[in-house]
Amino acid sequence: MLSKLNHIGIAVNSLEEALPFYRDRLGMSLTKIEVVEAQRVRVAFLSLGSETIELIEGTDEQSPIRKFIAKRGEGIHHLCFQVPNLEESLRELKRKRVRLIDEVPRQGAEGARVAFLHPASCHGVLIELKEIKG
Ligand code: ZN
C-alpha cells in the first residue's frame, strides 16, 4: 500500500534560522520554499540524493507546528510515505482500525493530496500519506 518514504518533516522555529544548518553545514540542497495556507505553515524542502527533508515553520499562533514546538520543542514532526491511491489507502487503514486524523484527503505542499494518521495508532509517530500516482 505504501510505495516509499517521501520525506521526513522537522518542526523548526524559523526557516531562516534552520536553513543555514541543513543547507550550509550539512550541504543539503534547498529545492523549494512554499507557504501552505490551509495548514498555517511555511515549508522548505531540502534534498540529498533521492532523500527529502521538509523543514516546517508555523505562520501564526494557531499553527499546529507552533503548538507542537511549544509542547515538545523543535524536532522530528512526522514521516511521510507515498501512496498511489490515497482514498483507497485511507479506506483500507480505517478497515484495519487505524485512527485517522483526516478521513478525507486535504491539500498539502506542492498541491499534493495528503492525509495524516493519528500518532496514537502509529506508536507515537505522526504519519503523513501523500498521493503520488504511479
Ligand atoms: Zn510533510
Side-chain angles (χ1 to χ4, degrees), residues 99 117-126:
R99 196 165 146 198
L117 312 183
H118 200 287
S121 277
C122 311
H123 300 268
V125 179
L126 176 63

Side-chain angles (χ1 to χ4, degrees), residues 12-13 37 39-42 57-71:
V12 300
N13 284 316
E37 300 274 4
Q39 294 186 35
R40 300 169 185 265
V41 295
R42 195 163 67 107
E57 166 197 87
T59 50
D60 65 43
E61 290 309 318
Q62 299 310 309
S63 168
I65 291 296
R66 292 267 183 95
K67 290 176 184 162
F68 173 90
I69 291 175
K71 223 193 279 180

Side-chain angles (χ1 to χ4, degrees), residues 7 9 54 56 78 80 116 128:
H7 63 266
E54 174 188 38
I56 320 157
H78 66 269
C80 175
F116 286 87
E128 174 182 19

Side-chain angles (χ1 to χ4, degrees), residues 7 10 29 32 41 70 78 87-89 91 95 132:
H7 63 266
I10 300 175
S29 358
K32 171 181 227 188
V41 295
H78 66 269
E87 266 95 0
E88 207 172 88
S89 297
R91 257 198 313 276
R95 199 180 60 76
I132 293 183

Side-chain angles (χ1 to χ4, degrees), residues 12 14 17 19 35 37 58-59 65-66 69 71 76 79 83 89 93 95 97 103 105 108-110 112 119 122 124:
V12 300
S14 144
E17 285 171 17
L19 276 173
V35 173
E37 300 274 4
T59 50
I65 291 296
R66 292 267 183 95
I69 291 175
K71 223 193 279 180
I76 293 182
L79 297 183
V83 298
S89 297
L93 288 165
R95 199 180 60 76
R97 301 182 171 280
E103 300 256 334
E110 301 180 301
C122 311

Side-chain angles (χ1 to χ4, degrees), residues 1-8 32 45 50-52 54 80-90 105-106 108-115 128-134:
M1 181 176 56
L2 308 178
S3 38
K4 62 178 280 228
L5 184 68
N6 183 272
H7 63 266
I8 296 169
K32 171 181 227 188
F45 286 102
S50 59
E51 309 309 326
T52 303
E54 174 188 38
C80 175
F81 294 100
Q82 290 178 203
V83 298
N85 183 323
L86 190 51
E87 266 95 0
E88 207 172 88
S89 297
L90 292 175
R106 64 165 112 168
E110 301 180 301
R113 294 178 346 120
V114 304
E128 174 182 19
L129 300 180
K130 179 175 188 170
E131 185 171 75
I132 293 183
K133 310 236 181 225

